Amino acid sequence: MKGHPASGEEKSGAVAPMMELTPYDATLMHRPQPAEEILRLEGSKLGRGRGTTVTQNGEKITVLTDDVKVWLVHDYTTYDIPASYHHVFYHDEGYVIRWEYHLVEDDGFVAKHKSKRCAYYFWQGSDLIVNQKGATALKTIELDKEKASQIRVVQHREPPSLLNLFKGALVIRSDSRGVLHRDQPNLGRREYPTTEPEMFIVRGECVEEAHIRQIPLKMSSLRSRACFLVVAPSRTVYLWLGSKITPHSRECGEHTAAKIAQNYNGTPPRIVTVKEGSEPGALMRCLGIPEEYGSLSKSEDSHAYTPRLFRFHIATGRFVAEEVLCKYRFPGRDTQFPFVQDDLYEVGQPALFLLDAKYQLWFWQGWFEV
């Protein structure tokens, strides 16, 4: 009705309130990142889930892993995955990981072994459908007989405490696991050598947390600031090193290549290290048609840096630049690729991000929902 408040019309003479505009202090974006992701469970500081940390009163706490169990969750049914290949995850699946550990507390006089504890992670692949996400969370509750801590993890945002459980062997595959039969379930075991070549990008900043993710097998997938594995049918694993990688990235690449080699039946494969620009013909045949990938091999600039990503929003009513942090960043080491495109797409749209790539600044603007 005309003049009714619901009509949207303002009363004659009413003045809309003025929005207060205040400048944002951009110097806040120059603050150093927090050094690392710290895990705290049951009142204890566990660091990266391994090694020794020191409390404020000088007491040393050492974290020791006792056991790791992994279940696949599919259609509200759990399948126990054998330890020999429980490190293989699929992008469209959900998994529950039980971590059993104990602490050793040393106050400088005597070391005390604390009783065993456990925590449950439930990992959800980037393409896991909504009802399966709910199933993974529900099955975590059912499996947790100890009423322990439960930690949700989404693909690409794995914390160091989870990565550490697989000691550099974690593989995240982007293909399909195949049909799951109740009597003889296909739980994701991969037999090597394969009949078709496969390609993986190496991620992680230390060998204990290194992991690989399957990517499209083509030359345009390469990046000069990263290292890759190409697993060829000829019992050969190629370790491709970009011209601008860091020493610790190379260590992670060598470590993950050795882990892949351990999965071969019979004769172990050759591990061939290839530097950018010196690709042998056999590797080029695996990669297919030559394509551009933005090589930095001719650049004289230093590319040893960590890109920084900020999301701009006013969710609290004030303009904020919120930094997106890589979960497995490591103190004193550059993280060459700390983000994925999902970091942009999975927030509410339209969104605005600033990517600081040292020599370039990129503004990314999302889309308006229809």
Side-chain angles (χ1 to χ4, degrees), residues 59-60 62 103-114:
E59 186 179 48
K60 295 180 180 179
T62 302
L103 306 179
V104 179
E105 298 180 352
D106 187 351
D107 60 4
F109 298 97
V110 62
K112 301 177 182 178
H113 285 258
K114 305 288 286 186

Side-chain angles (χ1 to χ4, degrees), residues 188-213:
R189 183 180 180 88
R190 306 297 291 193
E191 298 291 344
Y192 289 99
T194 59
T195 56
E196 297 293 335
E198 299 176 340
M199 187 173 183
F200 302 87
I201 185 172
V202 179
R203 307 196 72 185
E205 308 308 322
C206 61
V207 294
E208 296 88 351
E209 300 165 12
H211 54 291
I212 59 176
R213 178 168 60 88

Side-chain angles (χ1 to χ4, degrees), residues 141-285:
I141 297 173
E142 292 183 3
L143 290 167
D144 181 10
K145 306 301 182 184
E146 303 86 356
K147 306 302 178 184
S149 300
Q150 299 173 10
I151 306 166
R152 176 176 176 261
V153 177
V154 296
Q155 184 178 340
H156 307 306
R157 300 180 183 87
E158 293 82 7
S161 55
L162 174 62
L163 297 173
N164 176 68
L165 301 183
F166 301 99
K167 306 303 179 187
L170 180 62
V171 180
I172 301 176
R173 301 192 62 91
S174 61
D175 56 3
S176 175
R177 172 182 39 76
V179 178
L180 187 63
H181 299 288
R182 183 173 298 276
D183 296 330
Q184 294 182 328
N186 171 15
L187 299 177
R189 183 180 180 88
R190 306 297 291 193
E191 298 291 344
Y192 289 99
T194 59
T195 56
E196 297 293 335
E198 299 176 340
M199 187 173 183
F200 302 87
I201 185 172
V202 179
R203 307 196 72 185
E205 308 308 322
C206 61
V207 294
E208 296 88 351
E209 300 165 12
H211 54 291
I212 59 176
R213 178 168 60 88
Q214 190 177 17
I215 59 175
L217 177 66
K218 54 184 179 180
M219 196 164 184
S220 61
S221 294
L222 298 174
R223 296 292 183 271
S224 296
R225 301 179 71 240
C227 58
F228 299 81
L229 300 180
V230 176
V231 182
S234 58
R235 287 191 177 273
T236 304
V237 177
Y238 293 100
L239 171 60
W240 188 91
L241 304 176
S243 59
K244 305 299 182 182
I245 64 167
T246 59
H248 59 267
S249 292
R250 176 168 182 159
E251 291 177 1
C252 290
E254 293 171 344
H255 184 76
T256 54
K259 289 291 186 180
I260 286 287
Q262 293 175 7
N263 294 326
Y264 271 72
N265 295 321
T267 306
R270 294 184 306 138
I271 299 178
V272 179
T273 301
V274 178
K275 294 184 178 180
E276 182 178 5
S278 302
E279 293 82 5
L283 174 56
M284 293 301 295
R285 286 191 290 274

Side-chain angles (χ1 to χ4, degrees), residues 20-24 318-319:
E20 183 181 357
L21 299 178
T22 57
Y24 179 76
R318 299 183 62 184
F319 182 87

